[in-house]
Amino acid sequence: MNNKNIYFLTIITIFVCILFFYKDLFLSVFFSYFLYLTLIPVKIVFIRSSIIKKFFIILLFFIFFIFLFYNTLSIIFLFQDYLPTLLENTPMLTNKFLTFIDDLKNKFPILTFLSVDNNMIVQGTYYFKNLGLTFLSSLPKFLQHVTSLCIFIPLFLIFFLKDSLALKKEIYKIIPNKFFEQSTYFISFFHKNFSKYMASKFLEACCIFLLLIIFIGHLPQGLFLSYFPAFVSFIPYLGPLIGFIPAVFFFSFDILSYDQFQYYIMFYIIVQLIDFLLIFPFLVSQSVRINPLYMFISLYIGSQMMGILGMMISIPVAAFFKLLYEHVYREIYERY
Amino acid sequence: MNKIKDIILYKMPFLKKSKTHFSFLKKVSFLEEFSYKDFYIFQKFLHERTFQPAEVVFHQGDLNTAFFFLFDGKLEMFLNNSSQGFLVEGDYFGEDGLSLSPLKRPLSVKSTHFSKVLVLLKDDLIEMKLAYPLVASKFLHGLLTSFLLKLVHE
């Protein structure tokens, strides 16, 4: 092993250690890289239309900063206001959901299979109470994380947008000559594939947001109920379920009435069906060509290793490993 | 003697006549249509690599994804381990690395002295085409013209 290889391995190890021990930094780099990938097509359009690059970057910084900070804080404070009173009245909440299910059964006889026993109610209430208490106790730490993310993400995003070429050059510099061409090929393949996937996911999220804002935008907290499901749609398969949670909370807080909640459920299901049947197959599936079985396996492995974050990146990473496997297989096949 | 000279110049580059990427690129024949701004943009996409004597730049049959300018030094080409000639400062090679379909390297290239090459990766060219289409098209036009002229002369 020559000096350059040792240097290369040392740099990689230090970088991984820093990211491992400073999770906020890791998350900031990660999310800003996500955002950068989704913004690549926009960046090229702006360069082509000769608008001053710096102005665009600064504008982007402020829009993201204000948007992320304001919305996240407002929703967190809303939860902080409502949750303690709700936790004191859990039996009332249980009754509310039971009445809601009975009402649904009366309106739609097809749902008569929905049966809720006492044990389920007790367990559900206990789980809800615990979830609420954990949220309240971890709120200060959570706020600290959110604040640091809100500051670091736009900063890293600016850096990625402005100096991505220089950064790439510096990264490529540490690769030993022996692996240079192959490594750059795989890195650029991963980058390209990830970018394509993220751009299609971003378009999918925009479609979901637009459809939801048209149908349910007029409801109380309609804006949040539209952009939150769009945001979590980046998580494959689990996204629609997570996106539904805020509506349940808003219904519990009495921000949404019975009728509004029913109306929301109906249109939420319609929008998710449109996404599942029309948007996803045409936009996302075509961007990453992997067998659905591999997709599920990669999702499972991703969720086990890195949780929700792992699920978000599992599909493009699987595509990368597929290419790596094909390349190695071809090399071995041709050699022997 | 030459080897000692090479080592001295490699270890103490300030003894050498200063040469920048810009001044080097200006001398490349097929880039004559480039303006000052084009050179500035173009050199941002190039990666400098340094090779020691006898170090392999690429092997025959390797993945082919880059185009090279020989910035400094001397390289030797091999086909099935038999020498096919030398490449000297200012030469360029690996044009087929920029083609859209993935190809394999037809030759091996080895460094005979301390050499520096400027590498243009295919993906960087694609990025250049998207961000700076005029520079990319000027480069491709120049490269194609020089290739056709080479064919005519042969």
Side-chain angles (χ1 to χ4, degrees):
Chain A
M1 194 180 265
N2 64 25
N3 286 346
K4 188 135 193 185
N5 288 359
I6 296 165
Y7 174 65
F8 177 64
L9 283 175
T10 317
I11 298 261
I12 296 287
T13 317
I14 291 170
F15 185 69
V16 169
C17 286
I18 289 172
L19 290 185
F20 188 75
F21 289 113
Y22 297 95
K23 280 190 177 152
D24 272 1
L25 197 68
F26 172 72
L27 284 176
S28 309
V29 173
F30 195 79
F31 280 117
S32 46
Y33 180 62
F34 257 43
L35 283 170
Y36 165 70
L37 291 177
T38 54
L39 288 170
I40 284 176
V42 185
K43 184 189 163 191
I44 290 165
V45 168
F46 270 79
I47 291 170
R48 275 189 178 178
S49 43
S50 71
I51 291 172
I52 305 163
K53 206 169 155 188
K54 277 180 187 166
F55 173 73
F56 160 64
I57 290 162
I58 292 165
L59 192 72
L60 209 71
F61 174 84
F62 279 110
I63 290 170
F64 267 108
F65 186 76
I66 292 164
F67 180 77
L68 283 174
F69 203 70
Y70 176 75
N71 272 289
T72 324
L73 279 186
S74 63
I75 298 300
I76 286 170
F77 287 131
L78 188 84
F79 272 70
Q80 200 190 13
D81 286 347
Y82 279 92
L83 214 53
T85 34
L86 195 76
L87 290 174
E88 285 165 13
N89 300 312
T90 33
M92 195 188 79
L93 186 75
T94 322
N95 286 334
K96 194 175 176 179
F97 274 102
L98 280 175
T99 327
F100 179 74
I101 290 167
D102 286 339
D103 195 29
L104 262 184
K105 277 187 198 170
N106 290 335
K107 273 189 184 169
F108 306 100
I110 201 165
L111 297 172
T112 41
F113 67 89
L114 281 176
S115 61
V116 187
D117 60 8
N118 277 336
N119 194 25
M120 240 166 105
I121 297 166
V122 172
Q123 273 185 355
T125 317
Y126 178 73
Y127 182 73
F128 184 80
K129 208 169 181 175
N130 269 346
L131 193 79
L133 285 169
T134 320
F135 177 76
L136 280 180
S137 60
S138 58
L139 198 63
K141 212 172 180 185
F142 181 69
L143 270 176
Q144 187 195 335
H145 285 304
V146 170
T147 317
S148 66
L149 284 180
C150 287
I151 292 165
F152 283 124
I153 289 176
L155 275 175
F156 281 119
L157 182 64
I158 286 183
F159 176 67
F160 279 133
L161 280 171
K162 197 173 172 290
D163 290 321
S164 59
L165 205 62
L167 179 73
K168 193 164 85 175
K169 251 180 146 171
E170 290 305 314
I171 292 171
Y172 283 1
K173 252 183 201 172
I174 58 168
I175 301 174
N177 285 336
K178 201 176 169 185
F179 313 113
F180 181 70
E181 226 177 319
Q182 290 195 335
S183 311
T184 52
Y185 174 69
F186 285 121
I187 291 171
S188 68
F189 176 85
F190 179 69
H191 185 80
K192 206 162 52 184
N193 223 359
F194 212 168
S195 156
K196 219 193 269 178
Y197 175 75
M198 289 309 296
S200 56
K201 271 302 220 182
F202 183 68
L203 270 178
E204 188 198 2
C206 287
C207 292
I208 292 174
F209 172 70
L210 283 175
L211 286 169
L212 283 174
I213 199 97
I214 290 165
F215 291 130
I216 56 158
H218 61 279
L219 296 179
Q221 293 295 337
L223 182 67
F224 181 75
L225 288 175
S226 307
Y227 83 72
F228 185 77
F231 179 70
V232 291
S233 72
F234 277 86
I235 307 164
Y237 302 105
L238 265 188
L241 288 175
I242 299 170
F244 186 65
I245 294 170
V248 177
F249 272 101
F250 288 144
F251 175 60
S252 320
F253 297 160
D254 282 331
I255 293 172
L256 288 177
S257 66
Y258 273 119
D259 291 337
Q260 284 171 336
F261 191 49
Q262 279 177 10
Y263 177 83
Y264 175 80
I265 291 175
M266 193 173 78
F267 280 105
Y268 188 77
I269 291 170
I270 291 171
V271 170
Q272 291 302 335
L273 278 175
I274 292 171
D275 173 40
F276 189 71
L277 299 171
L278 295 171
I279 305 169
F280 189 83
F282 286 102
L283 274 177
V284 186
S285 292
Q286 283 183 0
S287 68
V288 188
R289 289 171 191 162
I290 323 179
N291 189 318
L293 181 70
Y294 295 146
M295 224 183 241
F296 277 112
I297 294 170
S298 64
L299 272 173
Y300 177 74
I301 296 170
S303 66
Q304 291 299 307
M305 285 175 77
M306 290 171 75
I308 287 175
L309 212 65
M311 291 182 83
M312 284 166 92
I313 60 163
S314 61
I315 291 173
V317 171
F320 170 72
F321 279 110
K322 190 188 156 205
L323 175 94
L324 204 67
Y325 165 74
E326 279 172 358
H327 185 73
V328 172
Y329 177 78
R330 215 185 298 141
E331 285 270 306
I332 294 168
Y333 183 75
E334 281 175 8
R335 202 166 284 180
Y336 303 106
Chain B
M1 191 64 193
N2 272 342
K3 209 172 175 182
I4 296 164
K5 192 182 150 194
D6 273 351
I7 294 168
I8 292 169
L9 286 177
Y10 181 72
K11 298 285 179 197
M12 291 174 274
F14 54 87
L15 294 175
K16 237 188 215 176
K17 256 188 177 176
S18 66
K19 188 168 73 172
T20 59
H21 290 179
F22 183 78
S23 64
F24 168 78
L25 290 171
K26 256 171 83 176
K27 285 177 194 162
V28 176
S29 57
F30 73 85
L31 298 180
E32 60 194 11
E33 280 181 37
F34 270 38
S35 64
Y36 179 83
K37 198 182 163 193
D38 295 339
F39 278 121
Y40 174 72
I41 292 166
F42 186 70
Q43 70 176 5
K44 283 203 292 187
F45 289 88
L46 297 173
H47 305 271
E48 191 185 284
R49 311 290 304 174
T50 308
F51 292 89
Q52 294 187 5
E55 196 179 349
V56 177
V57 180
F58 53 74
H59 285 287
Q60 187 177 349
D62 269 2
L63 199 69
N64 192 353
T65 58
F67 172 75
F68 299 84
F69 291 101
L70 181 50
F71 180 60
D72 200 5
K74 199 175 179 184
L75 304 171
E76 191 173 6
M77 296 180 286
F78 292 92
L79 178 67
N80 301 325
N81 292 327
S82 66
S83 177
Q84 300 290 310
F86 291 92
L87 291 162
V88 289
E89 206 177 300
D91 279 347
Y92 49 89
F93 56 101
E95 293 93 324
D96 46 355
L98 300 177
S99 66
L100 283 176
S101 51
L103 296 167
K104 298 267 170 175
R105 294 272 179 215
L107 294 164
S108 298
V109 173
K110 214 183 238 183
S111 172
T112 55
H113 297 61
F114 283 105
S115 309
K116 274 183 186 172
V117 292
L118 300 179
V119 188
L120 176 68
L121 296 166
K122 185 162 73 182
D123 289 294
D124 282 340
L125 181 67
I126 293 169
E127 206 179 318
M128 197 201 307
K129 206 181 85 190
L130 290 169
Y132 306 99
L134 197 68
V135 183
S137 61
K138 270 184 189 177
F139 166 74
L140 286 171
H141 178 258
L143 189 65
L144 191 67
T145 316
S146 81
F147 183 67
L148 289 174
L149 280 173
K150 249 191 213 175
L151 276 179
V152 169
H153 286 301
E154 277 175 16

